[in-house]
């Protein structure tokens, strides 16, 4: 049997529109501890292993100057070279004119925050109130660990991915 302690956040910090930073400050105040590192594990991006969290912590142990680690996934065919801004007249403006005509294999890799793990030093967070610092490193996770639940469609996809994850059928 597992027991999980939880803290019910203040009503103002529990709204759909509430930013996460005040929530972190609220929890830090409640814990009143001397914590060096804040690790945010968003429930909307639930596919991660304990080893992923350990690996992120080890990045801070190995690099004492590091302020921030953010988990990311490499995007293969989803690339800024394939993206456009569309104006009111439906004209398309490429986000990457140079890459627009390149083959997928010739594009340099790009990475997307997958929302699974954010780690930041408590010192930097308290000084800046920011979850992402200029001095950050990527923790690269496989694309199979990319699910972000914001809509009903996302939830349906997440259910399928989580089932495969629990069965050990996702790439690690």
């Amino acid at each position: 049997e597992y027991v999980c302690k939880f803290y019910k956040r203040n009503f103002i910090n529990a709204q759909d529109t509430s930013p996460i930073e005040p929530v972190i400050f609220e929890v830090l105040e409640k814990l009143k501890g001397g914590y060096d590192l804040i690790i945010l594990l968003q429930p909307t991006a639930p596919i991660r292993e304990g080893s992923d969290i350990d690996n992120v912590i080890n990045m801070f142990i190995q690099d004492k100057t590091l302020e921030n680690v953010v988990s990311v996934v490499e995007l293969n065919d989803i690339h800024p070279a394939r993206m456009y801004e569309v104006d009111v007249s439906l004209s398309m403006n490429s986000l990457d004119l140079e890459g627009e005509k390149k083959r997928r294999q010739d594009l340099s890799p790009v990475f997307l925050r997958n929302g699974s793990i954010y780690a930041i030093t408590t010192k930097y967070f308290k000084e800046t109130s920011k979850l992402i610092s200029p001095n950050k490193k990527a923790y690269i996770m496989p694309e199979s660990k990319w699910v972000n639940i914001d809509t009903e469609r996302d939830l349906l996809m997440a259910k399928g991915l989580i089932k495969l994850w629990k069965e050990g059928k996702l790439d690690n």
Side-chain angles (χ1 to χ4, degrees):
E1 179 180 324
Y2 295 98
V3 176
C4 179
K5 292 183 179 181
F6 68 93
Y7 169 72
K8 189 172 180 177
R9 58 185 152 161
N10 182 308
F11 178 79
I12 195 93
N13 287 332
Q15 305 305 304
D16 284 344
T17 57
S18 300
I20 194 65
E21 292 82 0
V23 176
I24 295 170
F25 275 112
E26 183 180 344
V27 171
L28 286 173
E29 185 178 308
K30 175 74 174 170
L31 293 175
K32 297 186 190 309
Y35 298 96
D36 296 327
L37 194 60
I38 297 165
I39 300 178
L40 175 64
L41 307 173
Q42 295 188 119
T44 53
I47 301 180
R48 62 187 152 264
E49 311 283 335
S51 59
D52 292 316
I53 299 164
D54 291 342
N55 292 339
V56 167
I57 292 169
N58 282 328
M59 291 173 74
F60 286 91
I61 292 169
Q62 292 168 6
D63 181 353
K64 301 292 185 200
T65 66
L66 187 59
E67 292 172 340
N68 194 201
V69 173
V70 178
S71 63
V72 298
V73 293
E74 183 176 353
L75 298 179
N76 292 312
D77 201 36
I78 303 171
H79 194 283
R82 309 256 186 277
M83 295 178 185
Y84 301 87
E85 291 179 334
V86 178
D87 65 22
V88 292
S89 70
L90 303 181
S91 294
M92 298 170 61
N93 301 305
S94 178
L95 295 183
D96 180 356
L97 275 173
E98 186 179 316
E100 181 180 32
K101 295 173 184 67
K102 288 183 179 178
R103 298 178 324 134
R104 174 185 51 85
Q105 299 89 333
D106 297 330
L107 295 169
S108 59
V110 294
F111 297 84
L112 174 75
R113 295 189 322 237
N114 68 345
S116 188
I117 303 171
Y118 292 88
I120 190 151
T121 63
T122 305
K123 180 181 186 294
Y124 180 83
F125 182 77
K126 284 183 173 181
E127 288 172 358
T128 66
S129 303
K130 295 184 181 191
L131 193 58
I132 298 178
S133 85
N135 179 20
K136 61 188 164 290
K137 286 191 178 177
Y139 177 68
I140 301 171
M141 298 176 76
E143 187 179 20
S144 59
K145 289 187 177 179
W146 175 29
V147 63
N148 203 353
I149 307 168
D150 291 320
T151 66
E152 283 191 47
R153 178 181 182 273
D154 295 342
L155 182 60
L156 292 172
M157 290 190 308
K159 285 180 179 180
L161 285 170
I162 290 170
K163 181 179 183 294
L164 293 171
W165 173 49
K166 286 182 176 181
E167 293 171 359
K169 295 180 181 174
L170 289 183
D171 297 336
N172 284 317

